Amino acid sequence: MLKDNFVTIRDVEAAAKHLAGIAHCTPVLTSRTVNQRTQTQAFFKCENFQRTGSFKFRGAYNALSQLSVEQKHSGVLTFSSGNHAQAIALSGQLLNIPTTIVMPDDAPAVKQTATRGYGAEVILYNKWETNREELAQNLSQQRGLTLIPPYDYPHVVAGQGTAAKELIEEVGELDLLLVCCGGGGLLSGSAISAKSLSPNCKIIGVEPERADDATRSFYSKTLQTVNNPDTIADGARTPSLGKITFPLVLEYVDDMVTVSEEAILRTMFFMWERLKIVVEPTGVLAAAALLEGVVKIKQGRVGVIISGGNVDLKQVGQLFQ
Amino acid sequence: MLKDNFVTIRDVEAAAKHLAGIAHCTPVLTSRTVNQRTQTQAFFKCENFQRTGSFKFRGAYNALSQLSVEQKHSGVLTFSSGNHAQAIALSGQLLNIPTTIVMPDDAPAVKQTATRGYGAEVILYNKWETNREELAQNLSQQRGLTLIPPYDYPHVVAGQGTAAKELIEEVGELDLLLVCCGGGGLLSGSAISAKSLSPNCKIIGVEPERADDATRSFYSKTLQTVNNPDTIADGARTPSLGKITFPLVLEYVDDMVTVSEEAILRTMFFMWERLKIVVEPTGVLAAAALLEGVVKIKQGRVGVIISGGNVDLKQVGQLFQ
């Protein structure tokens, strides 16, 4: 039950049941190199290995699986820069629910292709001319589709919380949990799980310096926004936290930090070269906070959520020059 | 005990004991996409996540840990195009044994740097002018170093066999095991383990078309060679199977197949994009045989050894264009 849009560990547990046998219980990687370099014991929860290549599948599938029969029959619509789009598209395919995705026309080709590959209808828009929330609201009403927003939706938040739940259940209690932050769905869901399953765990959200709206919101306790920020971490280009995620972040998150574009790229290169995993820029935000020393910790047990691995491989050569 | 240079499952078991707590028990990944596409149940044993980024650490550490006190004190020497070099270098560092590596001067920069980073002395040579085995033999005698060749050495073969042993112990018996083949150390070690632990498992070795010496040797039952083959799979550029590995391959391997350069690149792209793992060209040989339909199998349980992930990321953009 979701009371007053406030998500609890019970909702995360319910989501875990919906996802059992459907979502991957993703592997947790460790690295002696990372542990030596940071003087911590780090556990990387690899949601880049999740279905559709990111944690977004958890929230999307949980949300779609809890719709009414009528809603399922009519179909759903969402707006997304990519990973939530694929997640909704695959969830719709698995649950036999028609899906429509509103996507910026500069979204990576690999994400557009994958979304269409799961059978979704993709509607492109120009992000400089169009407000995506308004476009999605209008389409939703015109076509009778249920809108499943990418983060500001209780069942989405609850679904995202299952990744941290699995992590803590597998490796035990943590001293610190680092989570990237765009709209705050993964961050608030993770924080709900961590505070319940590892009460002494400190939770820190990580944003790009160039898209630091959530950090400013956290410190000012007033919702701050940023428009089309110029960061390589495309999953963190969301304008602000949501009506649901902002209070959750204020309630459960201990601190927010930011990392530079250079730190994101260095960490991405490190994760690919040394850990041998393909991680997208947004996916390394939490790891960057640890590896670049933005978050100070010694000797502790640190959970790091690797949020996704959807990157256009043809562009990687340019990134890594 | 290694009798007459013939390696048995007992030697693999002994190697597993030496490696326990030192080598990673690497994760096994599965992919619904791969299973749907191939109509099999595929298990990828990810030695790209092994220490030093490839399976080579297993054989190297096993070999070095079984040297006499005098041999350890004097140090070891090897010749390698890269992965065995890093593996010997790290093993030497861990066991406090001085290491000297003879390496072609065109070996990937990432491999040269990593080898020196583990404290090894690196001696470069021009592969068009110098026979590496002769150079290594001469240096070994001049300096009193024990030569640990990259594959034709019983304790190396036994160590490499531990990867397939772990795979079968984790996922159960297999119908087919696909293993890449350069000098045959990993292939023969894997075959020894598979025939013992999963007696009905068929073992197939996979080579690049352009470096098909082992395939020709297997069919002709006479050792065939190839010199400096022009394949992107640098780990399979070895001139031939060895005195120890050739008889083992004839005894335990069921078939040999080859894959084209295009198939290697397509499979590499697929593994990076869909499985989100960084795999080097040689590392995808076995996967290519499955994904490109070179090996015909339906409905079976297929083990695929991903041998390594050491690739120069700055060159990846060119590979994937």
Side-chain angles (χ1 to χ4, degrees), chain A residues 177-182 187 204-209 211 215 236 253 255-259 264 282 284-290 294-295:
Chain A
L177 178 62
L178 298 171
V179 187
C180 60
C181 180
L187 176 58
I204 300 183
V206 186
E207 284 189 307
E209 274 176 12
T215 303
V253 172
D255 201 359
M256 295 286 308
V257 298
T258 63
V259 293
I264 295 169
T282 312
V284 304
L285 285 170
L290 178 65
V294 173
V295 169

Side-chain angles (χ1 to χ4, degrees), chain B residues 138-181:
Chain B
N138 291 342
L139 280 167
S140 158
Q141 285 168 5
Q142 287 162 17
R143 301 188 181 190
L145 307 174
T146 303
L147 179 60
I148 310 287
Y151 52 88
D152 212 27
Y153 189 84
H155 289 312
V156 169
V157 171
Q160 319 306 30
T162 59
K165 177 175 181 286
E166 283 176 12
L167 170 62
I168 296 164
E169 286 172 349
E170 179 172 336
V171 307
E173 294 201 19
L174 300 169
D175 298 305
L176 174 63
L177 178 63
L178 298 171
V179 187
C180 59
C181 180

Side-chain angles (χ1 to χ4, degrees), chain A residues 245-266:
Chain A
T245 55
F246 184 32
L248 289 169
V249 166
L250 286 178
E251 176 76 17
Y252 291 117
V253 172
D254 294 288
D255 201 359
M256 295 286 308
V257 298
T258 63
V259 293
S260 69
E261 296 296 297
E262 294 72 23
I264 295 169
L265 273 173
R266 273 194 300 270

Side-chain angles (χ1 to χ4, degrees), chain A residues 21-22 24 32 48-49 51 53 110 118 269 272-278 309-310 313-314 317 320-321, chain B residues 21-22 24 32 48-49 51 53 110 118 269 272-278 309-310 313-314 317 320-321:
Chain A
I22 308 289
H24 288 312
R32 288 169 201 253
N48 52 332
F49 295 145
R51 296 184 78 169
V110 63
Y118 293 124
F269 192 85
W272 288 50
E273 184 173 61
R274 302 304 294 258
L275 270 73
K276 312 297 181 191
I277 56 175
V278 172
N310 292 322
L313 288 179
K314 292 185 192 297
F320 288 157
Q321 294 311 315
Chain B
I22 308 288
H24 288 314
R32 289 169 201 255
N48 52 333
F49 295 145
R51 297 184 78 171
V110 64
Y118 293 125
F269 192 85
W272 288 49
E273 185 173 60
R274 302 305 293 260
L275 271 72
K276 312 296 181 191
I277 56 176
V278 172
N310 292 323
L313 288 179
K314 293 186 191 295
F320 288 159
Q321 293 313 314

Side-chain angles (χ1 to χ4, degrees), chain A residues 62 69 76 78 82 84 88 106 133 151 154 191 215 240 264 266 287 303:
Chain A
N62 186 48
V69 173
V76 301
T78 195
H84 178 64
I88 288 285
D106 63 349
E133 282 83 353
Y151 51 89
T215 303
S240 71
I264 295 169
R266 273 194 300 270

